């Protein structure tokens, strides 16, 4: 495609071009071939028709071309020109693939997900279509870039030329935007609407912002202590039995696909037979694991949370350990995103001899293997965090055993757009069905121990998932524009036969909160402290689900 753009320049022989002209031509190819998602989003935002639409879209093409040229011109010196253009071509090809295939946008959260993706997750995203994009929009343009002879001016004339090109770009931008300012203004006022689609400025800006955040975090050498006064309350110490909580961090489960929440399919056949409390209106802290997991274990609410705070402040698990509880984090997902670094933690070995592992992946029931032995060794109050693989996409078909493939036919590829809506819904619902089974098995484990310890289970998903609605797949959409499918998450609780009684909590009062509309991940930090009886000045009763249901003594 880039060869076509440059054809008139090369003609019968490869004709030398100036460095700035190569930048302009490359920018033109980016506008034409790498920004299909941008053009699609723009059409949806403007809803223009007729001559006005043609004029506006033409002005936007000039605006985009000038803006990208302005961005790349400072790199049009001999040592940097071809390496930079090659890198941009390769990265932009990859960005175009993911935006066009999965309907995603690219911001700092998405780039953080990319950088924190483990090899197993990355492998799940590899496909022939990806290699096609990398070949046609990556390797081919790179070959042409390096094949074209480029002439470079002497230093001073070259600097003057580049300054003039930049001034020209600014004038083109002004001329493009001016006549249509009333149309441009609302589009760019909310950056989530369009700028996260523009390739390559979206990922360049995101990488720059993420780098700045990372540097700021590294400058904060000392982790800020939280809840240094955390102690087990006298009331908790006087309970007849020790407490054992299993906190299950779910993955990519959306609340509207739980039959417990009214979904037409019976995706929760086992949980509905358990004596659970199901909370129907729970909002996630973010739309990705990298945000939601550290956020739900942080003292900071979503409105005040940041990646820097998540990485530089202690969290809930640190406080529980300080209060004398045994804490362990078991992971069958990517990792704990920094949440478990200061407490005992381990990943489930994928190569362990287990009916739940195949050498590359483990089903979530692998988290329960050997857990009884650990429970038998406990002498103190304890919390076990299980980070499940849940409904992690796009290879949903790998998240459950084939014996639980109840809904068919299924989407059996990571190219979700090539599957029918029914196939995608079927395979996703099978993952929810298996999550239901895994949670029920966790409850059964706790039941076997409820006579000797006060047992409880809290399950909440980190975020939801888009299944092709409006052309969007997977998750990690900017929270401000994320669909409810990505932010409305399931939450289930189960308690042993004496747990609530020993904690002086009225179950009927708690049951009445199941449809409370304002619940969110913000409640997790304080509710766990409250249920386990940990006193600290960081505790906020208003964000403790259990607090208003406490029975007064005497």
């Amino acid at each position: 495609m880039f060869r076509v753009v440059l054809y008139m320049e090369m003609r019968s022989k490869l004709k030398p071009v100036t460095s700035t002209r190569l930048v302009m031509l490359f920018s033109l190819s980016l506008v034409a071939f790498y920004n299909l998602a941008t053009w699609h989003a723009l059409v949806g935002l403007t809803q223009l028709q007729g001559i006005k639409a043609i004029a506006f879209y033409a002005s936007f093409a000039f605006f985009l071309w000038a803006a990208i040229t302005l961005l790349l011109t400072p790199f049009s010196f001999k040592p940097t020109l071809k390496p930079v253009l090659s890198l941009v071509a390769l990265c932009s090809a990859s960005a175009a693939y993911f935006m066009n295939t999965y309907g995603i946008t690219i911001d700092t959260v998405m780039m953080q997900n990319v950088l924190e993706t483990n090899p197993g997750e990355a492998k799940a995203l590899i496909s022939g279509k990806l290699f096609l994009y990398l070949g046609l929009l990556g390797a081919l343009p790179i070959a042409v870039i390096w094949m074209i002879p480029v002439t470079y001016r002497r230093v001073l004339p070259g600097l003057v030329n580049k300054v003039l090109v930049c001034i020209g770009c600014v004038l083109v931008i002004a001329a493009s935007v001016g006549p249509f300012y009333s149309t441009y203004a609302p589009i760019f006022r909310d950056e989530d609407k369009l700028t996260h689609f523009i390739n390559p400025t979206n990922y360049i800006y995101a990488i720059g912002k993420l780098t700045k955040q990372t540097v700021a975090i590294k400058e904060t050498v000392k982790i800020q202590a939280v809840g240094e006064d955390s102690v087990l309350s006298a009331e908790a110490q006087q309970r007849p039995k020790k407490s054992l909580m299993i906190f299950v961090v779910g993955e990519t489960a959306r609340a509207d696909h739980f039959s417990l929440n009214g979904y037409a399919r019976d995706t929760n056949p086992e949980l509905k037979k358990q004596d659970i409390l199901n909370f129907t209106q729970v909002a996630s802290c973010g739309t990705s694991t990298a945000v939601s997991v550290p956020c739900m274990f942080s003292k900071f609410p979503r409105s005040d949370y940041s990646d820097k705070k998540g990485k530089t402040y202690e969290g809930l698990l640190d406080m529980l350990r300080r209060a004398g509880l045994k804490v362990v984090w078991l992971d069958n997902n990517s990792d704990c995103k920094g949440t478990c670094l200061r407490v005992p933690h381990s990943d489930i070995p994928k190569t362990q001899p287990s009916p739940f592992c195949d050498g590359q992946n483990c089903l979530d029931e692998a988290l329960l293997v050997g857990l009884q032995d650990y429970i038998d060794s406990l002498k103190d109050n304890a919390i076990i965090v299980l980070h499940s693989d849940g409904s992690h996409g796009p290879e949903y078909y790998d998240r459950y055993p084939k014996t639980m493939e109840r809904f068919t036919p299924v989407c059996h590829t990571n190219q979700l757009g090539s599957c029918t809506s029914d196939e995608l819904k079927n395979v996703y619902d099978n993952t929810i069905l298996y999550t239901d089974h895994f949670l029920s098995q966790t409850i059964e484990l706790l039941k076997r121990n409820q006579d000797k310890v006060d047992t409880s289970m809290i399950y909440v998903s980190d975020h939801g998932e888009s299944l092709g609605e409006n052309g969007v797949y997977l998750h990690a959409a900017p929270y401000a524009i994320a669909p409810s499918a990505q932010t409305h998450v399931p939450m289930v609780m189960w308690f042993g036969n004496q747990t609530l009684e020993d904690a002086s909590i009225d179950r009927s009062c708690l049951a009445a909160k199941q449809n409370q509309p304002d619940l969110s991940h913000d409640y997790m930090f304080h509710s766990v402290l409250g249920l386990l009886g940990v006193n600290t000045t960081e505790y906020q009763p208003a964000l403790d689900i259990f607090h208003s249901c406490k029975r007064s003594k005497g």
Side-chain angles (χ1 to χ4, degrees):
M1 292 179 180
F2 191 41
R3 192 194 301 262
V4 174
V5 175
L6 293 173
Y7 178 77
M8 295 303 295
E9 292 291 330
M10 293 186 286
R11 292 190 174 92
S12 60
K13 292 184 179 180
L14 290 174
K15 184 179 179 181
V17 297
T18 63
S19 59
T20 49
R21 179 165 295 186
L22 181 61
V23 167
M24 291 179 184
L25 292 170
F26 180 66
S27 298
L28 183 60
S29 73
L30 287 171
V31 173
F33 303 118
Y34 296 73
N35 273 282
L36 297 182
T38 305
W39 289 106
H40 183 268
L42 186 67
V43 171
L45 288 170
T46 56
Q47 302 294 323
L48 297 175
Q49 295 181 347
I51 298 298
K52 186 176 181 180
I54 295 173
F56 172 75
Y57 295 141
S59 81
F60 186 81
F62 278 107
F63 161 77
L64 203 56
W65 170 74
I68 296 173
T69 300
L70 183 64
L71 176 68
L72 296 178
T73 294
F75 300 98
S76 58
F77 294 94
K78 188 173 183 178
T80 57
L81 177 63
K82 291 189 176 183
V84 168
L85 296 190
S86 299
L87 181 62
V88 170
L90 193 62
C91 293
S92 297
S94 180
Y97 166 75
F98 285 104
M99 288 192 292
N100 294 343
T101 302
Y102 296 112
I104 64 169
T105 57
I106 297 177
D107 59 0
T108 52
V109 174
M110 183 60 71
M111 290 310 303
Q112 183 179 2
N113 290 334
V114 170
L115 296 175
E116 294 183 4
T117 296
N118 62 29
E121 292 175 326
K123 182 181 177 182
L125 295 169
I126 294 174
S127 68
K129 187 177 179 181
L130 172 59
F131 286 115
L132 184 63
Y133 267 77
L134 294 178
L136 293 179
L137 296 181
L140 182 59
I142 290 172
V144 174
I145 287 169
W146 286 93
M147 187 168 45
I148 294 175
V150 178
T151 59
Y152 298 91
R153 292 179 172 88
R154 293 191 303 275
V155 176
L156 186 58
L159 284 173
V160 172
N161 174 259
K162 289 169 180 49
V163 170
L164 291 175
V165 169
C166 289
I167 293 173
C169 288
V170 172
L171 293 176
V172 171
I173 291 172
S176 301
V177 173
F180 298 95
Y181 180 77
S182 61
T183 305
Y184 277 97
I187 293 175
F188 285 101
R189 186 173 292 120
D190 184 353
E191 65 174 19
D192 294 334
K193 287 183 177 179
L194 189 67
T195 57
H196 291 166
F197 288 99
I198 298 176
N199 190 3
T201 59
N202 52 3
Y203 67 81
I204 292 174
Y205 174 78
I207 290 172
K209 187 174 180 181
L210 191 59
T211 301
K212 182 179 178 181
Q213 292 175 357
T214 303
V215 170
I217 290 171
K218 287 184 177 179
E219 289 175 352
T220 308
V221 178
K222 186 178 178 181
I223 298 296
Q224 301 291 313
V226 172
E228 291 183 286
D229 59 344
S230 300
V231 294
L232 203 61
S233 67
E235 178 190 345
Q237 294 180 45
Q238 293 168 6
R239 291 177 187 175
K241 294 181 286 188
K242 300 294 184 182
S243 295
L244 170 62
M245 173 187 289
I246 294 183
F247 191 109
V248 182
V249 179
E251 171 65 49
T252 322
R254 46 190 282 179
D256 63 350
H257 277 244
F258 266 47
S259 56
L260 292 171
N261 296 325
Y263 187 49
R265 283 180 165 175
D266 189 10
T267 53
N268 301 122
E270 297 187 46
L271 280 179
K272 73 180 180 182
K273 297 176 182 177
Q274 303 283 4
D275 188 17
I276 61 165
L277 295 177
N278 175 57
F279 295 84
T280 63
Q281 303 295 324
V282 180
S284 66
C285 186
T287 61
S288 69
T289 305
V291 174
S292 283
V293 169
C295 182
M296 76 168 76
F297 286 91
S298 167
K299 73 169 186 175
F300 299 102
R302 189 186 74 81
S303 59
D304 192 33
Y305 177 81
S306 68
D307 185 57
K308 180 178 180 180
K309 288 179 177 178
K311 286 182 168 63
T312 58
Y313 283 81
E314 290 182 344
L316 174 63
L317 301 184
D318 301 283
M319 295 171 60
L320 295 177
R321 193 181 190 195
R322 186 173 291 127
L325 280 81
K326 292 293 184 183
V327 180
V328 66
W329 179 291
L330 301 178
D331 213 303
N332 190 38
N333 204 306
S334 50
D335 59 54
C336 67
K337 307 305 179 185
T339 302
C340 65
L341 294 183
R342 294 169 298 277
V343 302
H345 59 277
S346 63
D347 293 334
I348 298 300
K350 310 303 183 187
T351 56
Q352 65 175 317
S354 167
F356 306 115
C357 301
D358 62 8
Q360 294 183 322
N361 297 291
C362 287
L363 298 173
D364 283 333
E365 284 176 276
L367 289 164
L368 305 179
V369 174
L371 208 51
Q372 183 60 60
D373 291 338
Y374 175 78
I375 293 172
D376 290 339
S377 71
L378 292 172
K379 295 181 175 59
D380 300 303
N381 297 291
I383 179 170
I384 301 169
V385 183
L386 304 181
H387 190 194
S388 67
D389 207 21
S391 303
H392 200 293
E395 293 181 334
Y396 304 111
Y397 52 87
D398 270 343
R399 310 302 170 219
Y400 58 87
K402 300 312 171 191
T403 54
M404 299 199 71
E405 195 165 85
R406 178 177 302 177
F407 307 111
T408 57
V410 302
C411 176
H412 210 274
T413 175
N414 59 10
Q415 296 298 292
L416 304 182
S418 67
C419 298
T420 67
S421 176
D422 286 343
E423 288 171 340
L424 188 52
K425 182 174 72 172
N426 288 340
V427 72
Y428 182 81
D429 286 349
N430 287 329
T431 69
I432 300 298
L433 186 68
Y434 180 63
T435 292
D436 174 79
H437 173 71
F438 164 63
L439 293 178
S440 187
Q441 290 299 302
T442 304
I443 291 171
E444 291 299 326
L445 171 66
L446 290 171
K447 280 183 177 179
R448 295 193 291 270
N449 293 276
Q450 64 182 336
D451 291 336
K452 58 182 180 181
V453 287
D454 281 334
T455 54
S456 60
M457 183 198 77
I458 296 178
Y459 163 81
V460 63
S461 185
D462 58 353
H463 54 79
E465 185 87 328
S466 288
L467 297 174
E469 299 92 347
N470 298 314
V472 179
Y473 298 88
L474 303 177
H475 51 268
Y479 201 93
I481 61 170
S484 61
Q486 294 190 30
T487 60
H488 182 199
V489 294
M491 184 168 77
V492 173
M493 296 184 186
W494 175 90
F495 305 97
N497 50 22
Q498 283 294 119
T499 300
L500 294 179
E501 184 67 28
D502 289 345
S504 300
I505 295 172
D506 186 334
R507 183 184 175 89
S508 61
C509 169
L510 193 59
K513 294 176 176 286
Q514 290 181 98
N515 296 315
Q516 184 174 321
D518 61 346
L519 295 179
S520 69
H521 281 170
D522 291 351
Y523 283 75
M524 296 299 97
F525 179 92
H526 305 281
S527 297
V528 172
L529 291 175
L531 180 59
L532 295 178
V534 175
N535 282 345
T536 171
T537 53
E538 297 289 353
Y539 169 71
Q540 296 182 40
L543 292 175
D544 176 3
I545 297 172
F546 306 102
H547 177 73
S548 61
C549 294
K550 292 278 286 187
R551 295 194 187 96
S552 58
K553 292 291 185 180

